[in-house]
């Protein structure tokens, strides 16, 4: 069973800053099956990135995904107030999440 | 566009079976190469994939829940369902249904329904 770990657990940043979130798989995975989601309190998750680097419909271009093998990254180029949320990576099962909160 | 809505009892007694239904609107559950998934999230915790079903009826379950989970589809009603047997307090969570692509990412989600296991 492939296990995903995410780091850091919490990322404290200010609006306008760049956020870099990491997702590491316990063994090499196909990037085709790697996705990222955003979840805000009281809401269902929203698909941001699929296939490791393709943005889902309606997702702003400040969100980008990269990586291959065991290491994947979600980057938010300039944080907007609405971007403070929890982010999950997924390869079949989900990683534990990274919370991006306001510094 | 496709929308999903979960329904079912909000309270289930320990040792009983949790049963939820996801109604699909705005599209046919039979169309395209989609899987129909269940995911849950205990309060304050992360997401746990429960399993999914293809419109042919083939299923795949999380190994940690496999012995207790059944997912089925009713194409005539455009619905799919989750049954989780022998529930305990640890099964208390928000349960989401979602549409998954053939690459298993979930692009459409229901709003979620809270299920509490308590006597």
């Amino acid at each position: 069973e492939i296990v995903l770990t995410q780091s850091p657990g919490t990322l404290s940043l200010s609006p306008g800053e760049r956020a870099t979130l990491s997702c590491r798989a316990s063994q090499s995975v196909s990037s085709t099956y790697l996705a990222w989601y955003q979840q805000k309190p009281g809401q269902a998750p929203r698909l941001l990135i699929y296939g490791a680097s393709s943005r889902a419909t309606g997702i702003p271009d400040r969100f980008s995904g990269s990586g291959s093998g065991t290491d994947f990254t979600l980057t938010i180029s300039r944080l907007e107030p609405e971007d403070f949320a929890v982010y999950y990576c997924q390869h079949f099962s989900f990683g534990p999440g990274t919370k991006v909160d306001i510094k | 566009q496709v929308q999903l809505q979960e329904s079912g009892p909000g309270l289930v007694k320990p040792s009983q079976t949790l049963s939820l239904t996801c109604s699909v609107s705005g599209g046919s559950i039979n169309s395209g190469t989609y899987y129909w998934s269940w995911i849950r999230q205990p309060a304050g915790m992360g997401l746990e994939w429960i399993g999914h079903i293809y419109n042919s009826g083939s299923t795949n379950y999380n190994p940690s829940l496999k012995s207790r989970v059944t997912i089925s589809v009713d194409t005539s009603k455009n619905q799919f369902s989750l049954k989780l047997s022998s529930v305990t307090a640890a099964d208390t969570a928000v349960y989401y249904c979602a549409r998954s692509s053939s690459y298993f990412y979930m692009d459409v989600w229901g709003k979620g329904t809270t299920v509490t296991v308590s006597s």
Side-chain angles (χ1 to χ4, degrees):
Chain A
E1 180 187 349
I2 295 171
V3 176
L4 300 178
T5 56
Q6 292 186 242
S7 61
T10 301
L11 194 53
S12 296
L13 295 168
S14 300
E17 288 193 296
R18 181 184 187 91
T20 302
L21 287 66
S22 173
C23 175
R24 178 162 290 176
S26 57
Q27 57 187 277
S28 184
V29 301
S30 169
S31 59
T32 301
Y33 297 98
L34 197 288
W36 290 91
Y37 302 82
Q38 176 194 68
Q39 188 180 31
K40 297 179 182 178
Q43 296 184 17
R46 176 174 72 146
L47 177 67
L48 295 177
I49 301 287
Y50 64 92
S53 61
S54 297
R55 273 188 299 277
T57 302
I59 301 303
D61 60 7
R62 63 180 181 273
F63 291 92
S64 63
S66 63
S68 63
T70 59
D71 292 307
F72 298 89
T73 301
L74 175 70
T75 302
I76 311 170
S77 59
R78 289 176 55 86
L79 282 164
E80 297 287 342
E82 62 267 29
D83 298 338
F84 292 91
V86 180
Y87 293 84
Y88 295 94
C89 60
Q90 180 224 359
H91 178 271
F92 297 94
S93 291
F94 294 89
T98 290
K99 182 178 182 180
V100 179
D101 65 14
I102 299 176
K103 189 173 181 180
Chain B
Q1 78 246 25
V2 173
Q3 293 185 309
L4 307 180
Q5 178 68 58
E6 305 89 350
S7 60
L11 181 64
V12 181
K13 288 182 168 37
S15 79
Q16 293 190 342
T17 296
L18 177 160
S19 296
L20 295 174
T21 296
C22 182
S23 299
V24 179
S25 60
S28 171
I29 203 168
N30 263 331
S31 67
T33 52
Y34 294 114
Y35 293 80
W36 303 93
S37 303
W38 287 98
I39 305 96
R40 70 179 184 179
Q41 185 173 38
M45 297 179 65
L47 300 165
E48 181 179 32
W49 174 72
I50 299 171
H52 63 225
I53 189 166
Y54 194 58
N55 55 22
S56 65
S58 65
T59 54
N60 197 11
Y61 300 134
N62 185 324
S64 68
L65 297 170
K66 187 174 183 177
S67 63
R68 299 194 291 131
V69 173
T70 302
I71 297 176
S72 58
V73 64
D74 186 337
T75 55
S76 67
K77 294 183 178 178
N78 226 30
Q79 295 176 338
F80 62 106
S81 299
L82 168 70
K83 291 189 186 299
L84 181 66
S85 63
S86 306
V87 296
T88 69
D91 295 309
T92 294
V94 176
Y95 284 76
Y96 295 100
C97 60
R99 185 181 78 174
S100 301
S101 77
S102 53
Y103 299 114
F104 304 115
Y105 58 82
M106 293 144 194
D107 62 345
V108 181
W109 292 69
K111 288 181 165 48
T113 188
T114 300
V115 178
T116 302
V117 178
S118 175
S119 55

